[in-house]
Amino acid sequence: MIKKGIRRQIVLHYFFVVFLALLLVEVIFMFALRSYYYDSIYKHIESRIESVNDFAPKFKEPEQSLQSYLLNTFSLPFTELQLLDEHGKVIDNSTNFAADLSVQTSDVTQALAGDTGKWIGKQPSTGQQVMAVSQKLDNIVGDQVYVIRYTTSLELVNDKLFTITLFSLGIMAAVLVIVFVVSTGLANSIVRPINNIRDVSAQMAQGRFDTRIEGDYRYELGELASTLNYMAQEIVRTNQIKDDFISSISHELRTPLTSIKGWSETLNSGGYDPEETKIGMKIISKETDRLIGLVEEILDFSKLEQNAMKLVMGTVDLRELLQEIMLNVWAKAEMKQIKLQLDSEETAYLVHGDGNRLKQVFLNIVDNAIKFSHESSIIFLSLQRIDGNIEISVQDTGIGISAENLARVRDRFFQVDHQNGGTGLGLAISQQFIERHHGQMIIRSELGAGTTITVSLPALQAEPSVEPSQLTEGQI
């Protein structure tokens, strides 16, 4: 007995469907075969009766001679021929047994009504199943009404039909055995991979993401196995990124905290001149701002992930925004003797967006360009209108990004160079902000040759007259 499960369901369903189909075919076949044999017997007797009807009117001898001639000439093997009167009483028959009783079966009634009567049933005297075919004889000698009736046993036919039925049932049983074997094999081909996938999935659920589903499975099972393997691979990669992020952010937090703690303890001990105290306070303020920036970046990412980020929409001039950003990062660029160059027309480049969030995006892009550029290099910023959009490009000639890292540079927590610090969330957050402004960000880079980041945003044809309103991200 197959235990409960998908295997049992598949086998039972296949077996049940095929069994019903075979049973239906068997029943139809036996009815058709029975009808064929019975109709053949009926047609044969009917043609014999037609011969009697053709001959009887031509017979000119006395009535007794006609009866004897019919019984002797038109009888059939294994068939009783009877002559009946209009009351159904047997006048004579082809057997040696006299019959005084009248025949009241439906075939006789139909024959007296002018039709060819047919009756199938059990003969009272023998208990055998018989077929009786009767027809009235017209235009014969005298005024006597005759009904000619042929009665033949169906036992031999029924025995043959029974043998054929047993043979067909045997074939049906053999087919069912084959179906059972085939369906069991089919069920095993499905259930075994499912059991394997289930076992590996259970190991994954316990945290063993290094396990993989082995086997060359096809169709949906192959897709399922590939999906689970990919999921495990992504979980491993995400966990590694998470671990790298925790390590990186721990380092990023520890550095400013160490500076803050060291200077606060130094200042608290006293005995330093005002100039040294001023330097210490500046360091504490700078490191505090750095901590605030890290925390705000993490909070922004958390809000974006939870779909809770709100954007304050209004009209933003991207040219003014880039000029402001260049002023903000000028000191940092000056330290590496990097020159910032803006290439644009002397006109407004208006978009509908959140000025603070767009500033955060481009500040992050320009800051990264400075961070990964060589000393005494140039960073080019450009603005241009293309097909109803405004494209902002930031191009540097720095270290560039490899093709492998370029595909992952916008992933959360991913960092190309861990030594430069950061959370690895900057470009991931920037990507989401750009998407919420119905724009797109394209990154092109070549290792050792620099990076170009192009942001495309829908342009405003004219400045709207309405006041900026606060909208949720779902309304943008």
Side-chain angles (χ1 to χ4, degrees):
M1 186 64 180
I2 304 175
K3 67 178 183 179
K4 291 184 178 180
I6 296 178
R7 181 188 289 107
R8 179 177 179 180
Q9 292 298 316
I10 293 175
V11 172
L12 289 181
H13 278 89
Y14 268 94
F15 190 86
F16 184 69
V17 169
V18 175
F19 173 76
L20 287 181
L22 289 175
L23 183 62
L24 180 62
V25 170
E26 175 76 10
V27 171
I28 293 174
F29 172 72
M30 293 313 302
F31 269 108
L33 193 63
R34 180 178 181 273
S35 298
Y36 170 77
Y37 275 107
Y38 283 14
D39 287 345
S40 297
I41 295 172
Y42 172 75
K43 293 294 183 182
H44 182 63
I45 295 175
E46 185 182 36
S47 64
R48 195 70 167 178
I49 292 177
E50 293 296 331
S51 300
V52 174
N53 268 326
D54 291 339
F55 171 79
K58 302 175 183 178
F59 195 82
K60 304 302 183 183
E61 298 297 328
E63 187 175 322
Q64 291 295 329
S65 299
L66 174 63
Q67 295 174 9
S68 300
Y69 188 83
L70 291 177
L71 293 175
N72 293 328
T73 305
F74 294 98
S75 61
L76 292 171
F78 309 106
T79 303
E80 181 183 13
L81 174 59
Q82 297 174 324
L83 289 176
L84 312 179
D85 60 16
E86 68 270 21
H87 302 294
K89 185 176 180 181
V90 179
I91 299 174
D92 202 353
N93 57 44
S94 60
T95 64
N96 295 325
F97 299 97
D100 297 329
L101 299 177
S102 61
V103 180
Q104 301 297 329
T105 54
S106 59
D107 61 303
V108 176
T109 305
Q110 294 172 18
L112 290 173
D115 298 327
T116 300
K118 175 184 175 182
W119 173 78
I120 296 176
K122 285 189 176 182
Q123 194 172 37
S125 59
T126 62
Q128 292 184 344
Q129 188 175 24
V130 298
M131 176 189 292
V133 181
S134 303
Q135 194 176 80
K136 185 171 67 173
L137 297 179
D138 296 321
N139 302 319
I140 60 176
V141 179
D143 298 329
Q144 179 68 38
V145 176
Y146 288 106
V147 174
I148 187 169
R149 185 173 188 258
Y150 283 92
T151 304
T152 183
S153 174
L154 297 176
E155 293 298 318
L156 292 177
V157 174
N158 289 341
D159 289 343
K160 190 171 184 178
L161 289 175
F162 180 73
T163 302
I164 295 174
T165 301
L166 291 179
F167 181 73
S168 61
L169 287 176
I171 295 176
M172 178 178 172
V175 171
L176 289 176
V177 171
I178 295 173
V179 169
F180 179 81
V181 174
V182 172
S183 61
T184 301
L186 176 62
N188 288 333
S189 68
I190 296 175
V191 172
R192 285 172 183 168
I194 291 178
N195 289 337
N196 184 25
I197 293 173
R198 179 198 62 193
D199 295 339
V200 175
S201 300
Q203 295 180 45
M204 291 180 181
Q206 296 173 358
R208 296 180 57 186
F209 298 112
D210 57 333
T211 58
R212 295 291 183 270
I213 299 172
E214 304 293 341
D216 184 18
Y217 304 136
R218 297 190 299 172
Y219 310 122
E220 286 81 358
L221 287 175
E223 294 176 3
L224 177 59
S226 298
T227 301
L228 286 174
N229 286 338
Y230 176 75
M231 180 193 71
Q233 180 181 344
E234 286 299 301
I235 291 175
V236 171
R237 187 176 71 86
T238 302
N239 285 339
Q240 183 61 46
I241 292 174
K242 180 192 67 176
D243 293 340
D244 292 343
F245 166 73
I246 293 174
S247 175
S248 177
I249 199 65
S250 298
H251 176 75
E252 290 295 311
L253 293 174
R254 184 184 297 112
T255 302
L257 287 174
T258 301
S259 298
I260 292 172
K261 186 175 186 299
W263 275 103
S264 62
E265 290 178 350
T266 300
L267 294 175
N268 188 48
S269 64
Y272 292 93
D273 57 47
E275 189 64 29
E276 195 172 20
T277 301
K278 186 177 180 180
I279 294 173
M281 293 303 295
K282 284 183 179 180
I283 292 176
I284 291 175
S285 177
K286 179 183 177 182
E287 296 300 331
T288 302
D289 290 339
R290 184 180 174 187
L291 281 175
I292 291 173
L294 290 172
V295 172
E296 285 181 349
E297 195 171 59
I298 296 172
L299 288 175
D300 284 344
F301 178 77
S302 177
K303 288 180 180 179
L304 286 170
E305 288 292 296
Q306 297 174 12
N307 208 24
M309 176 64 72
K310 293 183 179 180
L311 302 179
V312 180
M313 304 300 290
T315 301
V316 181
D317 187 344
L318 293 178
R319 188 170 183 274
E320 292 182 359
L321 185 66
L322 289 181
Q323 289 175 336
E324 183 180 343
I325 290 172
M326 291 171 66
L327 291 174
N328 290 339
V329 299
W330 176 83
K332 186 174 183 179
E334 188 68 18
M335 291 177 62
K336 296 180 67 174
Q337 297 181 354
I338 294 175
K339 184 178 179 181
L340 301 174
Q341 180 176 321
L342 176 60
D343 181 17
S344 69
E345 298 178 359
E346 295 292 333
T347 183
Y349 292 82
L350 302 180
V351 296
H352 185 60
D354 186 325
N356 290 329
R357 296 306 179 184
L358 289 177
K359 182 179 179 180
Q360 180 179 344
V361 170
F362 293 112
L363 186 60
N364 178 71
I365 294 174
V366 175
D367 184 72
N368 282 341
I370 295 173
K371 185 186 301 183
F372 296 103
S373 290
H374 303 297
E375 292 186 358
S376 303
S377 60
I378 301 176
I379 296 176
F380 298 93
L381 289 78
S382 65
L383 279 164
Q384 56 182 334
R385 291 185 176 87
I386 299 178
D387 298 331
N389 293 325
I390 296 178
E391 287 193 356
I392 309 94
S393 295
V394 178
Q395 180 182 2
D396 64 65
T397 55
I399 63 175
I401 307 171
S402 66
E404 179 184 358
N405 289 332
L406 186 61
R408 302 172 53 194
V409 73
R410 279 177 281 197
D411 293 349
R412 56 186 182 177
F413 310 131
F414 179 78
Q415 298 181 70
V416 176
D417 186 358
H418 295 280
Q419 295 180 354
N420 282 287
T423 61
L425 295 174
L427 283 179
I429 294 174
S430 298
Q431 175 72 30
Q432 295 198 43
F433 278 144
I434 294 301
E435 290 176 353
R436 280 160 173 75
H437 282 81
H438 307 291
Q440 59 178 339
M441 181 169 63
I442 301 173
I443 303 176
R444 299 181 181 89
S445 186
E446 183 179 348
L447 191 62
T451 302
T452 300
I453 298 181
T454 303
V455 175
S456 178
L457 295 170
L460 279 181
Q461 300 302 323
E463 186 174 349
S465 58
V466 296
E467 293 295 328
S469 59
Q470 185 172 341
L471 300 175
T472 63
E473 62 177 10
Q475 297 172 301
I476 296 173

